């Protein structure tokens, strides 16, 4: 059922009934039919003296005949006349009750034998008094996004239903769940942080008071500021984790073999949404041994031709389009046709010469400007005189990829997503690499991850290496998870020694630390102090220092972690570690004592060193016990405005800080403060104290 809505703004004529006369049918060759009703100000007119007239210039081409239906309404039946198959006709309406003529400024397009409208669904010709039509906003589609991702911008002008070109202003009613930006008619919306679920936004279009130009070219002053509102529904899906990959293992086979299937779900480990989808792209790079572009040419002197309209692929995911690309057709090693890319269609139109009755197979050779390499497809098709293979709409596919992943191309909610590597060229030797994608089907550009894997074909098994999965990253491989490949692979090592590949540190290995200083064996030492590290639990040991005894002695100058690989009686291995923290020259602890405190830093540093604070994270030191400085040192703050405080408990009396004789202490931008402030002198100075820039005592 066909329904037309013709919405118009029309000036009211000052004349009375125009008494239009119907055209003479014998003067015209073609006809069309219109079944319509008349509406003024959205009210159906039921006056039998109403008329609808159709004009080409000043020539009347159709005049309606009102027919009263059983429901009490009039329908207007009109035959349109023309001498050409297609032309535009202006529409005018005489409305009896208002005694006015209204002109529809946007013409109807005449077509031979066309029927516009029906009895059940007539064309609604709507006209408005005072030259001012209302406006409306059509329904805007349901908007969906996920937490953290803005909705797609909406151009509200696309949904505005307006007859004239009067400007409108767009406004909206704020919603606390949404962040809204409105620039002209472009609406940008995002959910506020933490919100998910369904909410709405009411948007209003309001006409601006101004002169308007009607579609028939006449000008009019709008008398009413019409407005229209629409409610837009927004749904923010609760956030979930995006995909993430473990490394898909590389694979290698001897020619004639088959690659092992890969369940992609085994390597995507994080996605938290309802259904995941996978895809791939070949990695097309310049060859390690680039070839020069060949000078293929062909002059057709043979009796017959065969034409192939072809698309050149490298798997269905990649089409060749480099400026230097060229394809040649060979029969018995003789060039029979050459073609370059047609930039308009993206296709190759290959004309192949031959003779009547010839049925030899055609081999295609392709030079890729991207790969800088010649690729061959043997015996692709048999020559057939005058035959045309492929078309612009359905081209003949030439896939020059030797290997092609077969990846499920639909969303998968769980279970298996098995990917096979199809061997297209059984003579191929070499390596092909692919980028694999995991993405959310609803938000493919937002929730996605990629990883790469390589697949090689060799002529002899000696060219392959065995690698073992190292999922815990300890350098030891799982003997039960191995691959054959031509090269190194991320996440795999060349040994299968790991006893437990789920844990980088084997809990059955004991590593103990003994500090020569006599302070607690906590792994925190002064620089260059002697430490003994002992491992136990195995039958042999190999340290990251290359030592092979169960015990090593070290004197680190900086924070260092020492690893030991332990071999067990069963023959497998595990890893243990010992971390040593070395006290530096920066105060990182505000307490009276402990690693990183001012007291500990002073004890560990060498005479003549400078102490600083980890400002702005650490702003003071609180000393609750007396401290003796028996070495030359400097204590510096960050700047004159940003000065750390050395806070002294004044219950300690005047001996809170003692500088020994012949020792020099320099204070630069450091304050000394008593807690609480009693005014007692807190420094006993037997040596020398030098003040630089700003130092405040209080």
């Amino acid at each position: 059922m066909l329904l037309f809505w013709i919405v118009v703004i029309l000036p009211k004529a000052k004349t009375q009934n125009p008494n239009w006369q119907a055209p003479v049918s014998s003067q015209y060759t073609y006809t069309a039919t219109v079944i319509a009703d008349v509406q003024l100000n959205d009210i159906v007119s039921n006056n039998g003296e109403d008329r609808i007239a159709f004009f080409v210039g000043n020539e009347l081409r159709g005049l309606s005949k009102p027919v009263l239906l059983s429901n009490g309404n009039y329908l207007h039946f009109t035959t349109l006349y023309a001498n050409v198959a297609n032309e535009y006709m202006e529409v005018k309406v005489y409305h009896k009750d208002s005694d006015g003529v209204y002109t529809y400024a946007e013409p109807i397009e005449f077509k031979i034998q066309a029927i516009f409208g029906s009895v059940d669904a007539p064309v609604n010709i709507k006209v408005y008094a005072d030259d001012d039509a209302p406006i409306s906003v059509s329904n805007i589609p349901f908007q969906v996004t996920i937490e953290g991702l803005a909705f797609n911008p909406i151009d509200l002008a696309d949904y505005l239903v307006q007859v004239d070109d009067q400007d409108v202003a767009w406004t909206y009613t704020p919603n606390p769940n949404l962040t809204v930006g409105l620039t002209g008619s472009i609406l940008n919306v995002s959910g506020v942080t933490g919100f998910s679920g369904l909410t709405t936004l009411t948007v209003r279009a309001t006409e601006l008071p101004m002169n308007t130009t009607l579609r028939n070219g006449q000008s009019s002053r709008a008398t009413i500021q019409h407005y229209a509102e629409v409610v837009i529904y927004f749904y923010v899906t609760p956030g979930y984790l995006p995909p993430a990959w473990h490394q898909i293992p590389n694979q290698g086979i001897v020619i004639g073999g088959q690659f092992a299937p890969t369940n992609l779900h085994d390597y995507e480990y994080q996605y938290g949404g309802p259904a995941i989808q996978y895809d791939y792209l070949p990695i097309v790079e310049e060859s390690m041994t680039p070839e020069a572009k060949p000078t293929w040419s062909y002059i057709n002197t043979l009796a017959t031709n065969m034409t192939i309209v072809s698309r050149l692929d490298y798997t269905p995911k990649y089409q060749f389009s480099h400026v230097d690309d060229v394809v040649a057709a060979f029969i018995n090693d003789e060039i029979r046709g050459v073609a370059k890319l047609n930039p308009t269609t993206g296709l190759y139109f290959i004309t192949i010469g031959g003779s009547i009755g010839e049925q030899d197979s055609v081999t295609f050779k392709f030079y890729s400007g991207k790969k800088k390499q010649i690729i061959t497809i043997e015996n692709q098709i048999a020559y057939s005189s005058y035959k045309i293979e492929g078309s612009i709409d359905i081209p003949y596919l030439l896939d020059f990829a030797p290997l092609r992943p077969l990846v499920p191309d639909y969303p998968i909610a769980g279970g298996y997503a098995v990917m096979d590597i199809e061997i297209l060229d059984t003579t191929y030797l070499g390596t092909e690499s692919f980028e694999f994608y995991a993405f959310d089907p609803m938000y493919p550009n937002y929730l996605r991850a990629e990883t790469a894997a390589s697949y090689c074909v060799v002529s002899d098994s000696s060219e392959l290496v065995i690698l073992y999965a190292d999922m815990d990253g300890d350098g030891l491989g799982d003997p039960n998870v191995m691959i054959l490949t031509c090269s190194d692979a991320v996440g795999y090592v060349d040994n299968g020694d790991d006893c437990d590949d789920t844990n980088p540190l084997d809990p059955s290995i004991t590593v103990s630390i003994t500090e020569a200083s006599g302070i607690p064996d906590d792994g925190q030492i002064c620089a260059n102090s002697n430490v003994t590290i002992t491992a136990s639990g195995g039958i042999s040991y190999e340290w990251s220092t290359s030592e092979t005894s169960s015990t090593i002695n070290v004197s680190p100058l900086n924070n260092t972690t020492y690893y030991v690989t332990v071999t067990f009686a069963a023959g497998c291995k595990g890893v243990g570690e010992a971390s040593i923290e070395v006290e530096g020259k920066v105060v990182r602890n505000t307490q009276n004592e402990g690693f990183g405190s001012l007291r500990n830093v002073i004890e560990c540093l060498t005479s003549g060193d400078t102490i600083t604070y980890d400002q702005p994270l650490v702003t003071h030191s609180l000393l609750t016990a007396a401290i003796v400085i028996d070495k030359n040192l400097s204590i510096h703050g960050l700047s004159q405005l940003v000065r750390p405080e050395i806070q002294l408990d004044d219950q300690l009396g005047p001996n809170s800080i003692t500088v020994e004789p012949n020792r020099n202490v320099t204070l630069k931008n450091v304050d000394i403060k008593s807690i609480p402030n009693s005014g007692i002198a807190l420094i006993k100075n037997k040596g020398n104290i030098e003040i630089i820039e700003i130092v405040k005592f209080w």
Side-chain angles (χ1 to χ4, degrees), residues 48-71:
E49 296 186 47
D50 292 343
R51 292 292 184 272
I52 305 173
F54 297 80
F55 290 84
V56 176
N58 294 322
E59 184 181 348
L60 194 148
R61 295 292 191 84
L63 183 64
S64 70
K65 294 180 180 180
V67 176
L68 182 63
L69 304 182
S70 59
N71 61 5

Side-chain angles (χ1 to χ4, degrees), residues 467-469 476-482 495-501 572:
L467 298 178
Y468 301 87
L476 303 175
D478 186 340
N480 299 312
V481 182
M482 68 176 188
N495 69 80
D497 297 332
D498 208 336
C499 298
D500 179 7
D501 201 41
C572 61

Side-chain angles (χ1 to χ4, degrees), residues 527-550:
N528 216 25
S529 296
N530 292 324
V531 178
T532 299
I533 307 175
T534 301
S536 60
I539 59 173
S540 65
Y541 307 87
E542 182 176 356
W543 294 87
S544 52
T545 61
S546 299
E547 296 171 89
T548 56
S549 60
S550 61

Side-chain angles (χ1 to χ4, degrees), residues 7 35 85 111 123 125 226 246 257 265 284 412 417-418 426 441 456 484 549 580 609 624 629:
V7 183
I35 303 172
K111 294 182 179 180
V123 176
I125 298 182
H226 294 290
H246 290 305
H265 280 342
V284 181
I412 299 172
V418 176
T426 57
C456 67
L484 281 172
S549 60
I580 307 297
D609 284 342
T624 58
I629 299 176

Side-chain angles (χ1 to χ4, degrees), residues 513-524:
I513 297 172
T514 304
E515 299 174 18
S517 62
I519 60 178
D521 297 327
D522 56 6
Q524 297 174 336

Side-chain angles (χ1 to χ4, degrees), residues 2 63 106 135 159 183 197 207 222 283 293 309 382 527 538 560 609 622:
L2 185 62
L63 183 64
E106 189 168 325
I135 63 174
Y159 301 93
T183 304
E207 288 183 334
I283 298 176
K293 182 179 179 180
V309 181
T560 306
D609 284 342
L622 177 59

